[in-house]
Amino acid sequence: MLNNIIFTANIVAPVFLIVVLGYVLKKLNVINENFVAVTSKFVFNVSLPAFIFMKLYNIDLGAAIDAGQIIYIYAGTIFIYLAVWLISIPFINDGKNLSVFVQGAFRGNYAIVGLAIISNLYGNGGLAKATLILAFILPLYNVLAVIILTVPMRKIKKQNLKGTFIEIIFNPLIVAVIIALPLAYFKLELPSMIFASGNFLSDVALPMALIGIGGSLNFENVKKASGLAFTSSTIKLIILPLILTTGAYYFGYRNIDLGIMFILFSCPTAIVSFIMAEAMGCNSRLAGNIIVISTIGSVITISAAIIFLRSIGLI
């Protein structure tokens, strides 16, 4: 047990220590809100797409794709999404709150927190497989987010659906996937200077993103957070990973496959959920509270679950 605790600390702590570093630097005024906003925009539009592109480009697609695993992830995510939505309707009357509540409960920060933990847990081999899963989960997350941020709001305001879908299609992360997959499949070689530049940009993606998360944390908001924020965060950190990881176990997944799927399901709520809620006229304050609560809570839930799953030999 002690070995598992030490192992887990070595895996999870570096990720969240960088988040803490971002928070401390913000408090010391080394960085400010403008820095966080600019770097977040840079990460989202440049370095994270480069990271995803480089990881996918180096994958042997023929050997790496597990169709059954992708189908399970899709089916499980859609099941939780619909279940939370349907169960919440009688209790949340305001469409602005319902939209954000459901998005916070299903959409994880897998691209940043998830990949960082998997990198520490399984190294480059696991990271390549995890990035391939990201290529499939990104479009699903975006489509489901557009639906939940649109349908409950249809009586409140008219949505520009065409503009929204164009924005989703040209999401920089999805564009990186679309460009990388054919290059990887046909094994087309990049010019060495582009390859080197891509690696440079890729290397700064996760550290800069994690510092940005820390810099955006506001513990005062947690004190003011509503029951909806805590409930949505509980679903995201405990109920969703418990149901879907257990299901993956019964479908025969073990070791690295089960570990990657657990991290995918247990990540805190994605920061982009705040951006989309703000852009589509939903309750962005509620979205921000869910992100803060789930990010802080995930330190405990992910660490405890990794210790448990390792102690019984599953991951």
Side-chain angles (χ1 to χ4, degrees):
M1 177 63 75
L2 180 60
N3 289 336
N4 285 329
I5 293 174
I6 295 173
F7 177 85
T8 302
N10 289 331
I11 295 300
V12 176
V15 174
F16 289 102
L17 281 176
I18 297 178
V19 174
V20 171
L21 175 62
Y23 177 78
V24 172
L25 291 175
K26 174 79 176 303
K27 285 296 182 182
L28 295 175
N29 292 320
V30 176
I31 63 176
N32 55 26
E33 291 184 3
N34 184 60
F35 174 88
V36 173
V38 171
T39 55
S40 296
K41 189 173 183 179
F42 175 79
V43 168
F44 183 75
N45 288 287
V46 181
S47 64
L48 193 56
F51 175 87
I52 292 169
F53 174 87
M54 296 307 297
K55 296 305 177 186
L56 291 177
Y57 175 75
N58 291 307
I59 289 176
D60 182 354
L61 292 179
I65 294 178
D66 182 343
Q69 185 180 41
I70 300 299
I71 291 172
Y72 176 81
I73 290 171
Y74 265 56
T77 300
I78 293 172
F79 168 76
I80 293 293
Y81 172 82
L82 292 176
V84 172
W85 189 350
L86 293 174
I87 293 172
S88 302
I89 290 175
F91 303 100
I92 307 175
N93 296 321
D94 191 334
K96 293 182 179 180
N97 292 337
L98 177 62
S99 296
V100 172
F101 179 87
V102 176
Q103 183 182 217
F106 89 89
R107 187 173 194 171
N109 201 351
Y110 179 65
I112 297 174
V113 176
L115 294 185
I117 293 174
I118 289 168
S119 177
N120 287 344
L121 187 59
Y122 294 116
N124 287 332
L127 187 59
K129 189 176 184 68
T131 305
L132 185 60
I133 291 174
L134 178 66
F136 288 92
I137 201 68
L138 274 177
L140 178 65
Y141 276 170
N142 279 288
V143 170
L144 295 182
V146 168
I147 294 172
I148 194 57
L149 292 173
T150 301
V151 175
M153 296 284 289
R154 68 189 186 280
K155 295 180 181 178
I156 301 175
K157 59 182 294 188
K158 294 181 179 180
Q159 299 285 356
N160 183 359
L161 293 181
K162 182 179 179 181
T164 300
F165 279 110
I166 290 175
E167 184 177 346
I168 294 301
I169 292 172
F170 288 98
N171 180 301
L173 306 184
I174 294 180
V175 171
V177 171
I178 293 172
I179 296 174
L181 288 179
L183 293 177
Y185 181 80
F186 292 107
K187 296 181 171 57
L188 301 178
E189 187 172 348
L190 290 175
S192 58
M193 65 178 67
I194 294 179
F195 187 83
S197 299
N199 280 327
F200 287 145
L201 289 171
S202 174
D203 289 342
V204 303
L206 295 183
M208 189 174 290
L210 294 171
I211 289 174
I213 292 175
S216 65
L217 291 180
N218 186 337
F219 289 97
E220 290 299 318
N221 287 342
V222 176
K223 298 177 184 178
K224 302 174 184 177
S226 66
L228 289 178
F230 284 101
T231 303
S232 181
S233 299
T234 300
I235 295 171
K236 183 67 197 74
L237 297 180
I238 299 175
I239 297 175
L240 186 156
L242 180 62
I243 293 174
L244 297 188
T245 304
T246 301
Y249 169 80
Y250 281 108
F251 273 93
Y253 291 100
R254 301 291 188 277
N255 303 318
I256 187 172
D257 288 322
L258 185 64
I260 290 174
M261 293 167 80
F262 161 71
I263 298 299
L264 167 65
F265 299 139
S266 64
C267 284
T269 302
I271 295 174
V272 72
S273 64
F274 171 85
I275 298 170
M276 292 192 67
E278 178 78 17
M280 301 185 72
C282 299
N283 189 341
S284 57
R285 180 176 179 180
L286 175 60
N289 287 340
I290 293 171
I291 291 167
V292 172
I293 294 168
S294 63
T295 299
I296 296 170
S298 66
V299 179
I300 299 172
T301 56
I302 292 176
S303 299
I306 290 177
I307 291 171
F308 173 73
L309 292 172
R310 279 185 57 82
S311 67
I312 59 176
L314 292 183
I315 64 171

